[in-house]
């Protein structure tokens, strides 16, 4: 079975400072990992995904995440926060895409606040 | 662009009513999913479907049913709405094991 733990329910940063949103996963098999973002009153948008290619994954809006198998982590980072980054972020795990159609398992979310 | 649409953004129903939430995708995706989203709980899978007329229970199917008569449409049905079904409902679709694309959500209030 797969599971994902987002270590912080709320993160607050100042504009222009780095962002770190932490995620640990558990999976019996080779996982695919995703980060989704949800802005207020909007649907979920894919930020980036890891599917067993390069361990450092670049996404939209300057975000990136690094897959670390030894630490079972997939933390999301951004060098410099922008006010528009304020949103809810979800770390998601599923079996590797080649393993078939498997539903996504979502973390409980991290709310990112950006202070001017 | 992939488009997933949901029939209503906001819905208010009374306890005991039968409620239909509709989801339509325009990218010929085989897979469709219904989630509910609650504060502090993230998204939880209710039902999903890999093909027309096929359905699988997710993590919290109790009190819900689904219908998939056409490939592009996946309906979530609350047979007898209850107040604990007040939530945000999100539909998603995908092709094979690839990325899921989400609709804007339906915020349901059951009084």
């Amino acid at each position: 079975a797969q599971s994902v733990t987002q270590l912080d329910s709320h993160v607050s940063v100042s504009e222009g400072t780095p962002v770190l949103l932490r995620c640990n996963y558990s999976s019996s098999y080779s996982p695919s990992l995703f980060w989704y973002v949800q802005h207020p009153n909007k649907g979920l948008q894919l930020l980036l995904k890891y599917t067993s290619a390069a361990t450092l994954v670049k996404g939209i809006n300057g975000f990136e995440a690094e897959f670390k198998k030894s630490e079972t982590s997939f933390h999301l980072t951004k060098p410099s926060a922008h006010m528009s980054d304020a949103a809810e972020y979800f770390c998601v795990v599923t079996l590797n895409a080649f393993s078939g159609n498997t539903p996504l398992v979502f973390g409980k979310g991290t709310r990112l606040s950006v202070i001017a | 662009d992939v488009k997933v649409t949901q029939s209503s953004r906001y819905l208010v129903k009374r306890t005991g009513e039968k409620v239909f939430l509709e989801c339509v995708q325009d990218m010929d995706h085989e897979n469709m999913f219904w989630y509910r989203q609650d504060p502090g709980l993230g998204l939880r899978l209710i039902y999903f479907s890999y093909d027309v007329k096929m359905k699988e229970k997710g993590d919290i199917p109790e009190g819900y049913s689904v219908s998939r008569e056409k490939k592009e449409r996946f309906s979530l049905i609350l047979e007898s709405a209850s107040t604990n079904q007040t939530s945000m409902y999100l539909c998603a679709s995908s092709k094979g094991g690839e990325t899921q694309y989400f609709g804007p959500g339906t915020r349901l209030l059951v009084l």
Side-chain angles (χ1 to χ4, degrees):
Chain A
Q2 308 130 91
S3 66
V4 61
T5 302
Q6 292 185 242
L7 297 163
D8 306 291
S9 59
H10 182 213
V11 170
S12 184
V13 300
S14 297
E15 190 176 21
T17 64
V19 175
L20 170 64
L21 305 184
R22 299 181 296 166
C23 172
N24 287 115
Y25 71 91
S26 172
S27 177
S28 302
Y29 302 96
S30 178
S32 291
L33 293 154
F34 307 77
W35 276 98
Y36 281 83
V37 60
Q38 185 180 36
H39 288 92
N41 300 314
K42 297 278 182 70
L44 275 80
Q45 180 184 19
L46 180 69
L47 266 182
L48 50 81
K49 64 180 178 180
Y50 164 79
T51 54
S52 76
T55 56
L56 183 62
V57 182
K58 293 189 185 298
I60 61 172
N61 301 334
F63 284 94
E64 62 182 38
E66 186 172 7
F67 173 71
K68 291 187 176 180
K69 188 175 180 179
S70 61
E71 297 177 11
T72 61
S73 69
F74 190 58
H75 301 334
L76 182 71
T77 60
K78 182 174 180 177
S80 176
H82 192 271
M83 296 298 289
S84 60
D85 295 328
E88 187 95 18
Y89 291 79
F90 293 95
C91 183
V92 182
V93 66
T94 188
L95 287 177
N96 187 281
F98 297 107
S99 301
N101 301 317
T102 308
L104 304 179
V105 176
F106 281 77
K108 295 185 177 177
T110 298
R111 184 165 60 90
L112 176 65
S113 298
V114 182
I115 304 165
Chain B
D1 276 356
V2 175
K3 194 158 188 185
V4 180
T5 56
Q6 294 181 230
S7 51
S8 306
R9 290 301 301 274
Y10 300 95
L11 212 51
V12 180
K13 296 293 182 180
R14 296 212 174 271
T15 302
E17 279 193 76
K18 190 169 186 176
V19 182
F20 292 87
L21 302 182
E22 304 284 343
C23 175
V24 177
Q25 50 92 7
D26 66 357
M27 285 301 292
D28 200 36
H29 285 171
E30 299 91 2
N31 309 320
M32 296 188 76
F33 307 82
W34 275 108
Y35 297 87
R36 64 177 282 176
Q37 181 180 14
D38 299 288
L41 297 178
L43 273 73
R44 293 177 292 167
L45 181 65
I46 305 171
Y47 266 98
F48 56 103
S49 169
Y50 290 147
D51 202 351
V52 176
K53 296 193 187 296
M54 291 182 65
K55 61 184 180 183
E56 297 281 346
K57 291 181 179 179
D59 299 319
I60 51 164
E62 297 78 19
Y64 303 95
S65 62
V66 291
S67 172
R68 185 128 182 242
E69 296 296 319
K70 292 185 177 181
K71 191 175 185 179
E72 67 270 17
R73 187 180 297 270
F74 191 36
S75 303
L76 180 69
I77 304 156
L78 286 66
E79 295 289 342
S80 177
S82 63
T83 55
N84 63 13
Q85 292 178 310
T86 290
S87 187
M88 168 73 92
Y89 290 88
L90 291 163
C91 175
S93 72
S94 72
K95 186 173 186 66
E98 296 178 4
T99 304
Q100 289 189 16
Y101 294 89
F102 285 82
T106 295
R107 193 171 291 279
L108 173 66
L109 173 62
V110 183
L111 299 173

